[in-house]
Amino acid sequence: MSVDTATVKKVASLARIAISDADAERLAPELNNILGWIEQLGEVDTANVEPTTAVIPNSLRLREDVVTESDQRAAVLANAPQGEHGFFTVPKVVE
Amino acid sequence: MSNITDLGVAQLRDGVRDGAFSATEVATAFNDAVAKAKPLNAFIVETPEHALAAAKAADDARAAGETPKPLAGVPIGMKDLFATKGVQTTAASHILEGFTPPYESTVSQRLWDAGAGMLGKLNLDQFAMGSSNETSYFGNVISPWRRNDGGNAPLAPGGSSGGSSSAVAARIAPGATGTDTGGSIRQPAAFVGISGIKPTYGRCSRWGVVAFASSLDQAGPMARDVRDCAIMLEHMAGFDPKDSTSLDLAVPKWEAGLSGDLKGKRIGIPKEYRVEGMPEEIEALWQQGIAWMKDAGAEIVEVSLPHTKYALPAYYIIAPAEASSNLARYDGVRYGQRALPEGANLQDMYAATRAAGFGDEVKRRILIGTYVLSAGFYDAYYTQAQKVRTLIAQDFENAWTVCDLLLTPTAPSAAFALGEKSADPLAMYLNDVFTVPSSLAGLPAMSVPGGLDKSGLPLGLQIIGKPLDEQGVLNASLAIEERAGFTARPEAWW
Amino acid sequence: MTESTYRIQGDTGEWEVVIGLEVHAQVTSNAKLFSGAATAFGAEPNSQVSLVDAAMPGMLPVPNKECIRQAVRTGMALGAVINKWSRFDRKNYFYADLPQGYQISQLYHPLVGEGTLEISLDEKDPEAFTKTIGIERIHVEQDAGKLMHDQHPTRSYVDLNRSGVALMEIVSRPDMRSPAEAGAYLSKLRSVLRYVGSCDGNMDQGSMRADVNVSVRKVGDELGTRTETKNVNSVRFVMQAIEFEARRQVEVLESGGRIVQETRLFDPDRGETRSMRSKEDAHDYRYFPDPDLLPLVLDDAFLDACQASLPELPDAKRRRYESDLGLSAYNAAVLTADADTARWFEALLAESARVQKKGEQEVARAAANWLISDLFGALNRLGKGIDESPVSPEQGAELLALVGDGTLSGSLGKQVFEIMLETGDAPGKIVEERGLKQTSDTGAIETVIAEVLAKNPNQLEQYRGGKEALFGFFVGQTMKAMGGKANPAVVNELLKKALAG
Ligand SMILES: [Mg+2]
Ligand SMILES: [Zn+2]
């Protein structure tokens, strides 16, 4: 598997991280190096092995259907970089 | 009593309880030490008023004749990955700069409830991604240690809990919280000659801890000795209904259960941990550790963990994959920094915000994680890694049929100089080779100092235990501590 | 089973339409799927948002048992396989209504597997044209928040009140072949959900909405490329969207174009679908198991309790109304289509049988007829649903009893019902206070008939001369003179005698 700069840019775009052409050039060999090393995992025979689902044997606990959180709009909005009238705001989205 | 800041958690607790000194004296002494230690860059935010308030509460309670709380009079450092109500919490990233949580993490709340006070928020590798504390947006943490070669090369305190390790080793905090995803408590503890334990996955609540890799992240204490770690862990661990992966179990009385007598215990020595290129001094320390185990009454058995060499590559799929998703919430909408270039639409804003807000290592891991999860690669990478993880866990299960605990080195080297490995991410990742397998299996594991290398730098030994056997891990670590007689400490140069 | 004959007529021949629906149904619950915030509709913006819903750093999901229970019950009502081992996965994409940057959903191991839903295409005779639509799966997932684009010239507003509300996504097989089938499927599904009580089915409040997958093909061909029209929120719009989209696809194909697999939006004002640019690049969702959540394992006790709590479902109820109560197929279908109607009818029926001291099957027809024609007619006029009826089932039963025992004539019954609607009073009280009782007093009726005959000598002569059609005239005059209160049967009998002379 070889990652070229176009792939780096595509992945960066999926991850919503703006990168320059120079960044992509720099990252491509770096990521190739890491991915190449990771690929040794392919050597392991995992034919009859289940993927790990829980690190420590345990299953999901369920909560009762009770409203435990009251209105905390002020706390929720307190750190917002931008907002008004009780809303978070973002650049206008055209759907 | 020469110097209050030379005392550890247990001594401070006992001294305050017995009236040897007041909690306020303790808090003041450590606050002053923190203020003087700026060159270490161990703290991102200092909170002397928090430490003093907790101290005053302890002193008032004592004056009123109340039973002291279990950590009354003990000020600690809080890794800046734990959300602290009203105190900036950044995970050492720019993207969270200025974020003031309106909530307190479960682990930190438990410590405050036990009477502890906070000296400040400790620096770390950005989003806990790193092994040298060189990825913090707020600058490198410097180890208080220096090589005995007369040079002044600043050394890495290890990572990601580098602020924690540096502060405890420098005696500017008697104890600190850490978090460990692939070794982030144990490796920095080893690098600075202190102790640190990562408990069984699920012992400590992850609620309110900035997530790196959810299936691996565990909080734990870092302190000067095993007893101090036991005390702190008792007041960090415990069931939390707000964390679905939290274990619904009572917290054992680990401090009371401490014993360095290992009679009847079988200690496994995994042969696959004898890696190529490992310094002779590490091997020698390991042998020394084996001798100490025998001296403590344990039986030594050779064991095999055949999939060990695949642990690191599996980890470098699973952790970045989880991180790429966990860090998607940092988008500049609800908190933290926003970058909004002229004319940017929503998606441009995300990309610009994240480009400006995340450091290089964080971006690198997000990209790897995004890549391994992306269409067409999921099975080959992620599913395969999770299968290998099952095999690694099975290796440990098999080992437990012949032994109770495992003894290994903590890291493949002593602390390196800052900048020495930062150019090669892969070389940096290899630092975690001994700590990652037990993380993947969710097992409790601890690092204790064993001795010094030729350069006068600390080296650590690691004890790995069965699920939930923190007591066994602590006791074997105590047996090492009692025999190693490790008293070396860095000379204050800051 | 009926084969659809619905076809789009193109220039190159007939096209068949293939339709699958993904219905998002909001689970009825007090709190959200993974947080303790409230789910009530219409709250102030961002007032029902917990730190978890806002995806604050370090926040973790803990699932709500009731949401799981309702999804399991829904699956059982659709005869579906319930998976005792399921998992939550993360669906990763970036959007301002999705604070976590991922939606917690279920891709690889959904809670509910395959089931079926039987639809009928003729409401007058439900058994005549039926079709079984396959259900592929039901999974549980989080709803997103809401964006408002019209509040500010350059900004969109984000409201996270819906963020984290529990949804069931009910995915059908591509088994539908016409807008009518899709409409029937959606209506029937809504009916089942309301019976089960797992979703209130309020499409106008967004509690139920459908993603409509449409493709076209020449009859007998392979499946064509489909488009997905998102979040269509009424049965009528679903049918419109399918019709528009099928025609559009036929036009594209016939003019040599290709259908792009894409997400589209339905514009109800124009009755059109259009491409959604904003979600174009979101195709690689990088699903993986949510590491914050362990596998969901259900035990037999939980499943048994879910099964035991299921009510009688609409098809079973309809068949029982026909066979046990002797109702017509149409009436049975109308009364069982909606859970509230059936519940109202059954209360009316039980009360009618009680007050009339008769068996339910003896009073069922009258009750059904009155409910369907009189009550529904009135509610329609008032623009109210049956759950808002100003008349209670007990009052309805009392009215039916008064008509049944002859106290009120049919027309008096209608008169009393109108007064009930206005005043909310019980029928007995109205009859008492207004003296609306029907009379069968032969002496009184005979006196009035004598007066009527005396006043209308011409008509009497014509009648006796053979113009028997005038009988109705005399009945009318007699009833009028008695203020409508005379028992018509008695009037008829006495008039015949008197006219015969
Ligand atoms: Mg859909
Ligand atoms: Zn969905």
Side-chain angles (χ1 to χ4, degrees):
Chain A
M1 184 57 48
S2 186
V3 174
D4 54 17
T5 53
T7 310
V8 172
K9 285 180 156 177
K10 201 191 118 212
V11 172
S13 147
L14 256 183
R16 296 296 184 278
I17 297 176
I19 60 165
S20 64
D21 291 351
D23 286 341
E25 298 276 349
R26 179 175 56 77
L27 278 162
E30 222 172 82
L31 296 185
N32 267 322
N33 196 21
I34 296 167
L35 290 167
W37 168 72
I38 283 171
E39 271 158 22
Q40 60 177 298
L41 275 192
E43 295 165 13
V44 186
D45 177 7
T46 54
N48 295 307
V49 182
E50 286 297 315
T52 297
T53 52
V55 186
I56 296 298
N58 199 354
S59 64
L60 196 53
R61 238 181 355 262
L62 300 173
R63 200 182 87 239
E64 293 305 315
D65 182 28
V66 179
V67 176
T68 52
E69 308 277 336
S70 49
D71 182 357
Q72 48 198 304
R73 174 156 74 175
V76 164
L77 292 169
N79 281 283
Q82 191 187 65
E84 54 196 33
H85 310 309
F87 294 92
F88 299 100
T89 57
V90 295
K92 198 175 192 81
V93 178
V94 186
E95 278 190 331
Chain B
M1 245 302 304
S2 56
N3 202 341
I4 281 183
T5 56
D6 285 340
L7 303 177
V9 171
Q11 293 163 310
L12 293 167
R13 173 195 66 185
D14 296 349
V16 167
R17 180 194 62 209
D18 299 342
F21 36 78
S22 73
T24 302
E25 285 175 86
V26 174
T28 305
F30 278 101
N31 281 340
D32 291 349
V34 168
K36 274 189 231 141
K38 303 263 195 261
L40 297 176
N41 199 30
F43 285 88
I44 295 173
V45 174
E46 294 170 17
T47 56
E49 66 297 335
H50 190 292
L52 283 171
K56 182 171 187 307
D59 288 337
D60 289 351
R62 189 169 188 282
E66 291 165 21
T67 314
K69 290 181 175 175
L71 286 176
V74 182
I76 57 160
M78 186 61 62
K79 188 177 183 179
D80 197 26
L81 204 60
F82 294 85
T84 42
K85 189 171 184 168
V87 178
Q88 177 186 265
T89 300
T90 65
S93 71
H94 177 47
I95 208 161
L96 274 177
E97 196 173 6
F99 172 61
T100 308
Y103 53 97
E104 184 79 37
S105 81
T106 299
V107 163
S108 54
Q109 186 63 54
R110 278 182 198 273
L111 287 164
W112 312 149
D113 290 346
M118 177 165 69
L119 296 165
K121 300 299 291 290
L122 291 158
N123 206 343
L124 65 148
D125 274 304
Q126 191 167 146
F127 282 104
M129 296 175 187
S131 306
S132 62
N133 223 124
E134 290 170 285
T135 71
S136 168
Y137 175 75
F138 300 96
N140 298 342
V141 177
I142 317 291
S143 170
W145 289 84
R146 285 187 167 172
R147 290 187 179 127
N148 58 12
D149 59 6
N152 287 335
L155 301 178
S160 66
S161 309
S164 307
S165 65
S166 184
V168 173
R171 271 67 175 170
I172 61 175
T177 56
T179 62
D180 191 314
T181 303
S184 283
I185 287 175
R186 293 160 286 166
Q187 183 257 17
F191 272 22
V192 302
I194 65 167
S195 298
I197 181 169
K198 175 196 95 72
T200 309
Y201 181 82
R203 275 284 195 205
C204 287
S205 170
R206 295 183 297 111
W207 193 89
V209 187
V210 175
F212 163 14
S214 310
S215 76
L216 294 151
D217 296 345
Q218 260 301 289
M222 299 168 75
R224 297 240 305 282
D225 62 24
V226 173
R227 174 172 303 269
D228 287 359
C229 285
I231 294 168
M232 283 185 69
L233 185 57
E234 274 184 39
H235 300 291
M236 294 169 70
F239 174 59
D240 182 2
K242 292 187 289 191
D243 175 357
S244 294
T245 60
S246 171
L247 293 166
D248 191 359
L249 296 169
V251 179
K253 301 267 172 248
W254 287 308
E255 186 191 10
L258 284 176
S259 159
D261 180 357
L262 301 184
K263 263 196 275 314
K265 293 284 180 194
R266 293 163 305 168
I267 308 292
I269 308 301
K271 62 173 195 244
E272 290 81 5
Y273 280 52
R274 198 156 281 121
V275 296
E276 219 178 296
M278 187 163 83
E280 256 169 60
E281 287 168 294
I282 304 273
E283 173 64 32
L285 176 68
W286 197 4
Q287 292 307 321
Q288 178 63 68
I290 292 170
W292 287 331
M293 295 282 92
K294 285 182 185 158
D295 183 59
E299 183 195 331
I300 303 297
V301 289
E302 171 121 331
V303 299
S304 173
L305 303 169
H307 296 92
T308 298
K309 80 173 263 214
Y310 300 108
L312 213 46
Y315 174 85
Y316 275 96
I317 290 172
I318 295 164
E322 293 182 9
S324 71
S325 177
N326 280 338
L327 270 61
R329 65 187 57 198
Y330 305 105
D331 59 8
V333 175
R334 296 163 314 285
Y335 44 77
Q337 300 293 311
R338 166 184 290 195
L340 185 59
E342 189 64 32
N345 68 22
L346 176 70
Q347 300 296 340
D348 298 338
M349 181 191 88
Y350 289 155
T353 295
R354 293 161 62 78
F358 291 140
D360 282 346
E361 182 60 23
V362 174
K363 288 180 193 170
R364 192 177 292 129
R365 297 203 195 188
I366 290 176
L367 293 180
I368 291 172
T370 303
Y371 181 79
V372 299
L373 289 177
S374 64
F377 298 124
Y378 172 75
D379 280 328
Y381 287 111
Y382 188 80
T383 309
Q384 177 71 356
Q386 289 288 25
K387 288 179 173 177
V388 170
R389 188 179 193 177
T390 300
L391 292 172
I392 287 164
Q394 278 170 7
D395 283 354
F396 283 109
E397 284 300 313
N398 293 338
W400 303 138
T401 63
V402 295
C403 68
D404 305 297
L405 297 154
L406 296 165
L407 171 70
T408 78
T410 305
S413 75
F416 42 84
L418 291 170
E420 203 172 288
K421 297 197 177 183
S422 49
D424 181 359
L426 212 48
M428 187 69 85
Y429 296 171
L430 293 172
N431 249 286
D432 297 331
V433 63
F434 299 139
T435 49
V436 153
S438 44
S439 291
L440 286 172
L443 303 173
M446 180 164 205
S447 179
V448 274
L452 300 174
D453 74 354
K454 291 193 291 288
S455 312
L457 297 181
L459 297 172
L461 284 168
Q462 176 179 228
I463 299 288
I464 301 169
K466 298 174 189 173
L468 307 178
D469 189 21
E470 283 81 5
Q471 192 73 65
V473 170
L474 289 161
N475 287 356
S477 300
L478 182 63
I480 293 172
E481 182 181 283
E482 287 170 349
R483 284 160 185 79
F486 186 89
T487 52
R489 57 180 285 185
E491 203 80 49
W493 50 261
W494 49 88
Chain C
M1 202 72 169
T2 318
E3 281 306 316
S4 172
T5 54
Y6 181 84
R7 299 286 184 267
I8 303 282
Q9 291 298 333
D11 296 338
T12 61
E14 289 192 331
W15 295 79
E16 184 182 39
V17 188
V18 177
I19 305 152
L21 294 183
E22 296 164 24
V23 174
H24 285 97
Q26 180 181 335
V27 179
T28 304
S29 66
N30 300 315
K32 292 183 180 180
L33 179 55
F34 293 114
S35 85
T39 58
F41 180 79
E44 285 288 296
N46 291 308
S47 65
Q48 295 181 163
V49 182
S50 77
L51 300 169
V52 174
D53 308 320
M56 291 283 168
M59 292 300 100
L60 297 170
V62 182
N64 181 337
K65 188 188 206 161
E66 177 65 6
C67 301
I68 304 300
R69 193 182 80 91
Q70 290 292 21
V72 167
R73 293 175 73 247
T74 302
M76 287 172 165
L78 296 169
V81 178
I82 308 298
N83 295 318
K84 291 171 83 170
W85 194 98
S86 64
R87 277 209 81 162
F88 287 101
D89 301 304
R90 291 185 182 176
K91 177 182 183 177
N92 295 284
Y93 64 94
F94 288 88
Y95 203 58
D97 62 6
L98 191 72
Q100 294 167 136
Y102 54 85
Q103 177 195 33
I104 306 180
S105 179
Q106 298 186 299
L107 176 70
Y108 299 109
H109 299 279
L111 181 58
V112 180
E114 287 196 74
T116 56
L117 184 66
E118 194 178 271
I119 59 170
S120 47
L121 296 157
D122 179 354
E123 61 165 14
K124 292 242 189 316
D125 187 0
E127 304 277 357
F129 298 99
T130 65
K131 183 168 176 175
T132 301
I133 307 298
I135 306 269
E136 187 183 309
R137 55 189 281 151
I138 303 176
H139 60 259
V140 177
E141 62 183 21
Q142 302 174 297
D143 203 352
K146 236 175 81 183
L147 292 188
M148 270 152 278
H149 308 299
D150 47 7
Q151 314 281 316
H152 190 283
T154 60
R155 295 174 188 173
S156 291
Y157 282 20
V158 186
D159 174 10
L160 299 180
N161 278 350
R162 285 195 71 88
S163 163
V165 164
L167 302 176
M168 296 179 277
E169 181 171 335
I170 303 161
V171 182
S172 85
R173 297 255 171 228
D175 287 350
M176 288 157 275
R177 295 288 179 270
S178 69
E181 288 183 11
Y185 171 83
L186 194 56
S187 304
K188 183 63 174 287
L189 183 61
R190 181 173 179 275
S191 162
V192 171
L193 295 179
R194 285 173 51 80
Y195 265 80
V196 170
S198 58
C199 171
D200 66 22
N202 284 331
M203 297 191 80
D204 48 351
Q205 291 181 2
S207 302
M208 234 183 122
R209 49 200 203 258
D211 296 345
V212 186
N213 291 299
V214 175
S215 64
V216 297
R217 63 176 173 191
K218 284 284 174 66
V219 180
D221 277 4
E222 298 277 286
L223 282 181
T225 303
R226 67 185 168 88
T227 62
E228 179 177 7
T229 304
K230 287 267 186 204
N231 288 334
V232 187
N233 67 353
S234 82
V235 172
R236 193 162 60 86
F237 292 160
V238 163
M239 293 169 63
Q240 274 180 22
I242 292 166
E243 217 172 317
F244 178 87
E245 186 56 20
R247 282 181 196 287
R248 185 190 71 84
Q249 291 187 14
V250 167
E251 274 167 35
V252 169
L253 292 171
E254 291 196 329
S255 56
R258 224 169 42 85
I259 302 301
V260 199
Q261 181 164 349
E262 62 175 353
T263 300
R264 299 179 70 84
L265 195 77
F266 179 69
D267 180 341
D269 297 329
R270 295 157 167 252
E272 296 175 357
T273 70
R274 63 169 190 270
S275 188
M276 245 174 124
R277 288 184 300 131
S278 58
K279 297 210 169 163
E280 248 166 33
D281 58 351
H283 289 314
D284 192 344
Y285 291 123
R286 289 159 288 133
Y287 277 99
F288 77 110
D290 190 328
D292 285 331
L293 294 162
L294 295 155
L296 173 60
V297 184
L298 301 177
D299 60 25
D300 289 330
F302 181 81
L303 297 182
D304 291 347
C306 288
Q307 187 72 55
S309 72
L310 282 183
E312 183 184 32
L313 294 168
D315 284 343
K317 203 181 271 299
R318 178 170 54 76
R319 290 185 189 118
R320 180 170 63 81
Y321 282 8
E322 287 184 52
S323 62
D324 294 10
L325 299 180
L327 299 186
S328 69
Y330 174 76
N331 277 6
V334 170
L335 291 173
T336 56
D338 176 69
D340 283 345
T341 305
R343 213 170 292 128
W344 213 101
F345 174 68
E346 286 179 12
L348 174 70
L349 192 63
E351 186 64 9
S352 285
R354 192 183 68 79
V355 298
Q356 299 187 41
K357 298 190 175 58
K358 289 180 177 167
E360 286 194 353
Q361 66 285 2
E362 290 175 81
V363 295
R365 281 168 196 248
N369 288 333
W370 176 77
L371 195 159
I372 290 170
S373 53
D374 294 23
L375 182 64
F376 272 2
L379 292 174
N380 253 340
R381 258 189 286 130
L382 298 172
K384 288 187 170 178
I386 195 152
D387 52 329
E388 309 158 301
S389 167
V391 170
S392 70
E394 290 71 26
Q395 292 174 331
E398 192 184 339
L399 179 63
L400 286 173
L402 291 172
V403 175
D405 69 8
T407 309
L408 292 178
S409 63
S411 64
L412 268 182
K414 288 188 197 306
Q415 224 177 299
V416 170
F417 179 53
E418 286 306 319
I419 299 167
M420 289 164 70
L421 287 169
E422 265 167 46
T423 63
D425 285 346
K429 183 175 174 229
I430 294 168
V431 169
E432 201 58 49
E433 286 178 359
R434 309 201 182 197
L436 290 173
K437 245 190 196 123
Q438 167 173 278
T439 178
S440 305
D441 178 343
T442 47
I445 295 172
E446 274 166 346
T447 309
V448 173
I449 286 175
E451 282 168 23
V452 168
L453 298 192
K455 273 192 201 155
N456 299 288
N458 292 343
Q459 283 84 349
L460 180 62
E461 202 180 302
Q462 287 172 27
Y463 180 86
R464 286 185 173 152
K467 202 169 177 192
E468 291 188 5
L470 280 168
F471 185 71
F473 165 80
F474 291 106
V475 173
Q477 291 300 307
T478 309
M479 291 303 276
K480 192 179 167 193
M482 295 206 64
K485 284 177 269 182
N487 181 330
V490 178
V491 170
N492 277 359
E493 192 190 320
L494 296 179
L495 248 181
K496 265 188 191 139
K497 238 192 264 170
L499 286 169

